[in-house]
PDB file of all heavy atoms in Angstrom:
ATOM      1  N   VAL A 797      -6.067 -22.920 -29.302  1.00 98.00           N
ATOM      2  CA  VAL A 797      -7.168 -22.602 -30.121  1.00 98.00           C
ATOM      3  C   VAL A 797      -7.884 -24.012 -30.440  1.00 98.00           C
ATOM      4  O   VAL A 797      -7.209 -24.807 -31.033  1.00 98.00           O
ATOM      5  CB  VAL A 797      -7.065 -21.838 -31.388  1.00 98.00           C
ATOM      6  CG1 VAL A 797      -8.298 -21.602 -31.976  1.00 98.00           C
ATOM      7  CG2 VAL A 797      -6.324 -20.519 -30.986  1.00 98.00           C
ATOM      8  N   ILE A 798      -9.161 -24.186 -30.106  1.00 98.00           N
ATOM      9  CA  ILE A 798      -9.975 -25.367 -30.582  1.00 98.00           C
ATOM     10  C   ILE A 798     -11.148 -24.789 -31.170  1.00 98.00           C
ATOM     11  O   ILE A 798     -11.989 -24.037 -30.606  1.00 98.00           O
ATOM     12  CB  ILE A 798     -10.269 -26.283 -29.491  1.00 98.00           C
ATOM     13  CG1 ILE A 798      -9.069 -26.833 -28.671  1.00 98.00           C
ATOM     14  CG2 ILE A 798     -11.112 -27.421 -29.946  1.00 98.00           C
ATOM     15  CD1 ILE A 798      -8.299 -27.810 -29.426  1.00 98.00           C
ATOM     16  N   SER A 799     -11.445 -25.145 -32.431  1.00 98.00           N
ATOM     17  CA  SER A 799     -12.684 -24.974 -33.167  1.00 98.00           C
ATOM     18  C   SER A 799     -13.367 -26.277 -33.434  1.00 98.00           C
ATOM     19  O   SER A 799     -12.720 -27.044 -34.260  1.00 98.00           O
ATOM     20  CB  SER A 799     -12.473 -24.129 -34.448  1.00 98.00           C
ATOM     21  OG  SER A 799     -12.046 -22.856 -34.172  1.00 98.00           O
ATOM     22  N   HIS A 800     -14.309 -26.587 -32.767  1.00 98.00           N
ATOM     23  CA  HIS A 800     -14.909 -27.942 -32.895  1.00 98.00           C
ATOM     24  C   HIS A 800     -16.321 -27.936 -33.190  1.00 98.00           C
ATOM     25  O   HIS A 800     -17.137 -27.265 -32.552  1.00 98.00           O
ATOM     26  CB  HIS A 800     -14.712 -28.753 -31.462  1.00 98.00           C
ATOM     27  CG  HIS A 800     -14.658 -30.271 -31.783  1.00 98.00           C
ATOM     28  ND1 HIS A 800     -15.653 -31.017 -32.283  1.00 98.00           N
ATOM     29  CD2 HIS A 800     -13.617 -31.033 -31.370  1.00 98.00           C
ATOM     30  CE1 HIS A 800     -15.238 -32.200 -32.378  1.00 98.00           C
ATOM     31  NE2 HIS A 800     -14.021 -32.276 -31.795  1.00 98.00           N
ATOM     32  N   GLN A 801     -16.616 -28.660 -34.320  1.00 98.00           N
ATOM     33  CA  GLN A 801     -18.108 -28.737 -34.525  1.00 98.00           C
ATOM     34  C   GLN A 801     -18.899 -29.455 -33.558  1.00 98.00           C
ATOM     35  O   GLN A 801     -18.469 -30.512 -32.981  1.00 98.00           O
ATOM     36  CB  GLN A 801     -18.165 -29.515 -36.016  1.00 98.00           C
ATOM     37  CG  GLN A 801     -19.583 -29.651 -36.531  1.00 98.00           C
ATOM     38  CD  GLN A 801     -19.698 -30.620 -37.810  1.00 98.00           C
ATOM     39  OE1 GLN A 801     -18.887 -31.485 -37.860  1.00 98.00           O
ATOM     40  NE2 GLN A 801     -20.771 -30.568 -38.465  1.00 98.00           N
ATOM     41  N   THR A 802     -20.058 -29.008 -33.336  1.00 98.00           N
ATOM     42  CA  THR A 802     -20.952 -29.491 -32.171  1.00 98.00           C
ATOM     43  C   THR A 802     -22.334 -29.508 -32.516  1.00 98.00           C
ATOM     44  O   THR A 802     -22.817 -28.846 -33.556  1.00 98.00           O
ATOM     45  CB  THR A 802     -20.794 -28.754 -30.962  1.00 98.00           C
ATOM     46  OG1 THR A 802     -21.396 -27.374 -31.102  1.00 98.00           O
ATOM     47  CG2 THR A 802     -19.267 -28.574 -30.462  1.00 98.00           C
ATOM     48  N   ASP A 803     -23.166 -30.226 -31.812  1.00 97.00           N
ATOM     49  CA  ASP A 803     -24.600 -30.024 -31.831  1.00 97.00           C
ATOM     50  C   ASP A 803     -24.847 -28.662 -31.364  1.00 97.00           C
ATOM     51  O   ASP A 803     -23.937 -27.893 -30.819  1.00 97.00           O
ATOM     52  CB  ASP A 803     -25.342 -31.080 -30.995  1.00 97.00           C
ATOM     53  CG  ASP A 803     -25.185 -32.498 -31.534  1.00 97.00           C
ATOM     54  OD1 ASP A 803     -24.862 -32.681 -32.696  1.00 97.00           O
ATOM     55  OD2 ASP A 803     -25.346 -33.415 -30.749  1.00 97.00           O
ATOM     56  N   ASP A 804     -26.122 -28.260 -31.398  1.00 96.00           N
ATOM     57  CA  ASP A 804     -26.512 -26.851 -30.990  1.00 96.00           C
ATOM     58  C   ASP A 804     -26.595 -26.863 -29.516  1.00 96.00           C
ATOM     59  O   ASP A 804     -27.669 -26.853 -28.893  1.00 96.00           O
ATOM     60  CB  ASP A 804     -27.678 -26.397 -31.814  1.00 96.00           C
ATOM     61  CG  ASP A 804     -27.843 -24.911 -31.671  1.00 96.00           C
ATOM     62  OD1 ASP A 804     -27.018 -24.292 -31.076  1.00 96.00           O
ATOM     63  OD2 ASP A 804     -28.921 -24.347 -32.330  1.00 96.00           O
ATOM     64  N   VAL A 805     -25.522 -26.599 -28.848  1.00 96.00           N
ATOM     65  CA  VAL A 805     -25.461 -26.584 -27.368  1.00 96.00           C
ATOM     66  C   VAL A 805     -24.780 -25.285 -26.957  1.00 96.00           C
ATOM     67  O   VAL A 805     -24.302 -24.533 -27.754  1.00 96.00           O
ATOM     68  CB  VAL A 805     -24.796 -27.757 -26.680  1.00 96.00           C
ATOM     69  CG1 VAL A 805     -25.446 -29.099 -27.031  1.00 96.00           C
ATOM     70  CG2 VAL A 805     -23.190 -27.775 -27.131  1.00 96.00           C
ATOM     71  N   SER A 806     -24.872 -24.918 -25.610  1.00 97.00           N
ATOM     72  CA  SER A 806     -24.441 -23.663 -25.226  1.00 97.00           C
ATOM     73  C   SER A 806     -22.851 -23.576 -25.275  1.00 97.00           C
ATOM     74  O   SER A 806     -22.151 -24.476 -25.061  1.00 97.00           O
ATOM     75  CB  SER A 806     -24.796 -23.388 -23.751  1.00 97.00           C
ATOM     76  OG  SER A 806     -24.048 -24.216 -22.839  1.00 97.00           O
ATOM     77  N   LEU A 807     -22.490 -22.390 -25.811  1.00 97.00           N
ATOM     78  CA  LEU A 807     -20.951 -22.123 -25.807  1.00 97.00           C
ATOM     79  C   LEU A 807     -20.340 -22.146 -24.556  1.00 97.00           C
ATOM     80  O   LEU A 807     -19.241 -22.681 -24.352  1.00 97.00           O
ATOM     81  CB  LEU A 807     -20.783 -20.695 -26.382  1.00 97.00           C
ATOM     82  CG  LEU A 807     -19.304 -20.257 -26.662  1.00 97.00           C
ATOM     83  CD1 LEU A 807     -18.571 -21.349 -27.648  1.00 97.00           C
ATOM     84  CD2 LEU A 807     -19.322 -18.822 -27.199  1.00 97.00           C
ATOM     85  N   GLU A 808     -21.042 -21.862 -23.505  1.00 97.00           N
ATOM     86  CA  GLU A 808     -20.544 -21.983 -22.130  1.00 97.00           C
ATOM     87  C   GLU A 808     -20.090 -23.434 -21.770  1.00 97.00           C
ATOM     88  O   GLU A 808     -18.983 -23.706 -21.229  1.00 97.00           O
ATOM     89  CB  GLU A 808     -21.453 -21.388 -20.962  1.00 97.00           C
ATOM     90  CG  GLU A 808     -20.944 -21.568 -19.607  1.00 97.00           C
ATOM     91  CD  GLU A 808     -22.039 -21.085 -18.596  1.00 97.00           C
ATOM     92  OE1 GLU A 808     -23.215 -20.819 -19.023  1.00 97.00           O
ATOM     93  OE2 GLU A 808     -21.666 -20.931 -17.469  1.00 97.00           O
ATOM     94  N   GLN A 809     -20.862 -24.430 -22.131  1.00 97.00           N
ATOM     95  CA  GLN A 809     -20.681 -25.838 -21.847  1.00 97.00           C
ATOM     96  C   GLN A 809     -19.547 -26.266 -22.763  1.00 97.00           C
ATOM     97  O   GLN A 809     -18.717 -27.029 -22.259  1.00 97.00           O
ATOM     98  CB  GLN A 809     -21.989 -26.600 -22.133  1.00 97.00           C
ATOM     99  CG  GLN A 809     -21.806 -28.137 -21.925  1.00 97.00           C
ATOM    100  CD  GLN A 809     -21.616 -28.365 -20.442  1.00 97.00           C
ATOM    101  OE1 GLN A 809     -22.506 -27.948 -19.562  1.00 97.00           O
ATOM    102  NE2 GLN A 809     -20.648 -29.176 -19.978  1.00 97.00           N
ATOM    103  N   ILE A 810     -19.570 -25.867 -24.021  1.00 98.00           N
ATOM    104  CA  ILE A 810     -18.535 -26.292 -24.835  1.00 98.00           C
ATOM    105  C   ILE A 810     -17.122 -25.874 -24.341  1.00 98.00           C
ATOM    106  O   ILE A 810     -16.084 -26.631 -24.220  1.00 98.00           O
ATOM    107  CB  ILE A 810     -18.742 -25.779 -26.327  1.00 98.00           C
ATOM    108  CG1 ILE A 810     -19.956 -26.389 -26.940  1.00 98.00           C
ATOM    109  CG2 ILE A 810     -17.525 -26.057 -27.218  1.00 98.00           C
ATOM    110  CD1 ILE A 810     -20.513 -25.725 -28.097  1.00 98.00           C
ATOM    111  N   ARG A 811     -17.055 -24.607 -24.003  1.00 97.00           N
ATOM    112  CA  ARG A 811     -15.749 -24.034 -23.582  1.00 97.00           C
ATOM    113  C   ARG A 811     -15.371 -24.696 -22.217  1.00 97.00           C
ATOM    114  O   ARG A 811     -14.163 -25.030 -21.949  1.00 97.00           O
ATOM    115  CB  ARG A 811     -15.909 -22.585 -23.283  1.00 97.00           C
ATOM    116  CG  ARG A 811     -15.993 -21.797 -24.707  1.00 97.00           C
ATOM    117  CD  ARG A 811     -16.075 -20.312 -24.618  1.00 97.00           C
ATOM    118  NE  ARG A 811     -15.880 -19.708 -25.971  1.00 97.00           N
ATOM    119  CZ  ARG A 811     -16.136 -18.448 -26.164  1.00 97.00           C
ATOM    120  NH1 ARG A 811     -16.566 -17.572 -25.244  1.00 97.00           N
ATOM    121  NH2 ARG A 811     -16.030 -17.917 -27.504  1.00 97.00           N
ATOM    122  N   LYS A 812     -16.219 -24.946 -21.439  1.00 97.00           N
ATOM    123  CA  LYS A 812     -15.915 -25.676 -19.965  1.00 97.00           C
ATOM    124  C   LYS A 812     -15.348 -26.970 -20.314  1.00 97.00           C
ATOM    125  O   LYS A 812     -14.295 -27.415 -19.823  1.00 97.00           O
ATOM    126  CB  LYS A 812     -17.216 -25.613 -19.158  1.00 97.00           C
ATOM    127  CG  LYS A 812     -16.912 -26.439 -17.914  1.00 97.00           C
ATOM    128  CD  LYS A 812     -18.152 -26.556 -17.045  1.00 97.00           C
ATOM    129  CE  LYS A 812     -18.004 -27.409 -15.832  1.00 97.00           C
ATOM    130  NZ  LYS A 812     -19.281 -27.596 -15.103  1.00 97.00           N
ATOM    131  N   ASP A 813     -15.974 -27.771 -21.220  1.00 98.00           N
ATOM    132  CA  ASP A 813     -15.568 -29.134 -21.387  1.00 98.00           C
ATOM    133  C   ASP A 813     -14.313 -29.174 -22.106  1.00 98.00           C
ATOM    134  O   ASP A 813     -13.337 -30.045 -21.831  1.00 98.00           O
ATOM    135  CB  ASP A 813     -16.720 -29.832 -22.169  1.00 98.00           C
ATOM    136  CG  ASP A 813     -17.991 -30.137 -21.499  1.00 98.00           C
ATOM    137  OD1 ASP A 813     -17.890 -30.085 -20.218  1.00 98.00           O
ATOM    138  OD2 ASP A 813     -18.924 -30.392 -22.052  1.00 98.00           O
ATOM    139  N   LEU A 814     -14.032 -28.351 -23.265  1.00 98.00           N
ATOM    140  CA  LEU A 814     -12.919 -28.411 -24.059  1.00 98.00           C
ATOM    141  C   LEU A 814     -11.617 -27.851 -23.403  1.00 98.00           C
ATOM    142  O   LEU A 814     -10.609 -28.359 -23.650  1.00 98.00           O
ATOM    143  CB  LEU A 814     -13.210 -27.833 -25.393  1.00 98.00           C
ATOM    144  CG  LEU A 814     -14.307 -28.509 -26.239  1.00 98.00           C
ATOM    145  CD1 LEU A 814     -14.245 -28.163 -27.662  1.00 98.00           C
ATOM    146  CD2 LEU A 814     -14.250 -30.024 -26.053  1.00 98.00           C
ATOM    147  N   ILE A 815     -11.858 -26.828 -22.555  1.00 98.00           N
ATOM    148  CA  ILE A 815     -10.712 -26.326 -21.805  1.00 98.00           C
ATOM    149  C   ILE A 815     -10.297 -27.420 -20.874  1.00 98.00           C
ATOM    150  O   ILE A 815      -8.916 -27.603 -20.794  1.00 98.00           O
ATOM    151  CB  ILE A 815     -11.030 -25.065 -20.989  1.00 98.00           C
ATOM    152  CG1 ILE A 815     -11.169 -23.962 -22.017  1.00 98.00           C
ATOM    153  CG2 ILE A 815      -9.959 -24.765 -20.062  1.00 98.00           C
ATOM    154  CD1 ILE A 815     -11.664 -22.584 -21.349  1.00 98.00           C
ATOM    155  N   LEU A 816     -11.003 -28.156 -20.304  1.00 98.00           N
ATOM    156  CA  LEU A 816     -10.636 -29.365 -19.442  1.00 98.00           C
ATOM    157  C   LEU A 816      -9.808 -30.301 -20.195  1.00 98.00           C
ATOM    158  O   LEU A 816      -8.805 -30.825 -19.720  1.00 98.00           O
ATOM    159  CB  LEU A 816     -11.830 -29.865 -18.688  1.00 98.00           C
ATOM    160  CG  LEU A 816     -11.502 -31.055 -17.797  1.00 98.00           C
ATOM    161  CD1 LEU A 816     -10.674 -30.653 -16.600  1.00 98.00           C
ATOM    162  CD2 LEU A 816     -12.854 -31.643 -17.197  1.00 98.00           C
ATOM    163  N   VAL A 817     -10.277 -30.691 -21.373  1.00 98.00           N
ATOM    164  CA  VAL A 817      -9.623 -31.601 -22.214  1.00 98.00           C
ATOM    165  C   VAL A 817      -8.248 -31.088 -22.518  1.00 98.00           C
ATOM    166  O   VAL A 817      -7.207 -31.698 -22.502  1.00 98.00           O
ATOM    167  CB  VAL A 817     -10.381 -31.891 -23.597  1.00 98.00           C
ATOM    168  CG1 VAL A 817      -9.489 -32.772 -24.416  1.00 98.00           C
ATOM    169  CG2 VAL A 817     -11.678 -32.607 -23.219  1.00 98.00           C
ATOM    170  N   CYS A 818      -8.036 -29.751 -22.913  1.00 98.00           N
ATOM    171  CA  CYS A 818      -6.862 -29.236 -23.263  1.00 98.00           C
ATOM    172  C   CYS A 818      -5.842 -29.249 -22.167  1.00 98.00           C
ATOM    173  O   CYS A 818      -4.743 -29.666 -22.292  1.00 98.00           O
ATOM    174  CB  CYS A 818      -7.011 -27.643 -23.577  1.00 98.00           C
ATOM    175  SG  CYS A 818      -7.824 -27.385 -25.271  1.00 98.00           S
TER     176      CYS A 818
END
Side-chain angles (χ1 to χ4, degrees):
V797 181
I798 299 287
S799 294
H800 208 302
Q801 184 188 18
T802 68
D803 294 340
D804 197 358
V805 299
S806 74
L807 183 59
E808 180 182 10
Q809 183 66 51
I810 295 167
R811 288 180 171 167
K812 177 184 176 182
D813 291 341
L814 297 197
I815 287 174
L816 181 60
V817 173
C818 291

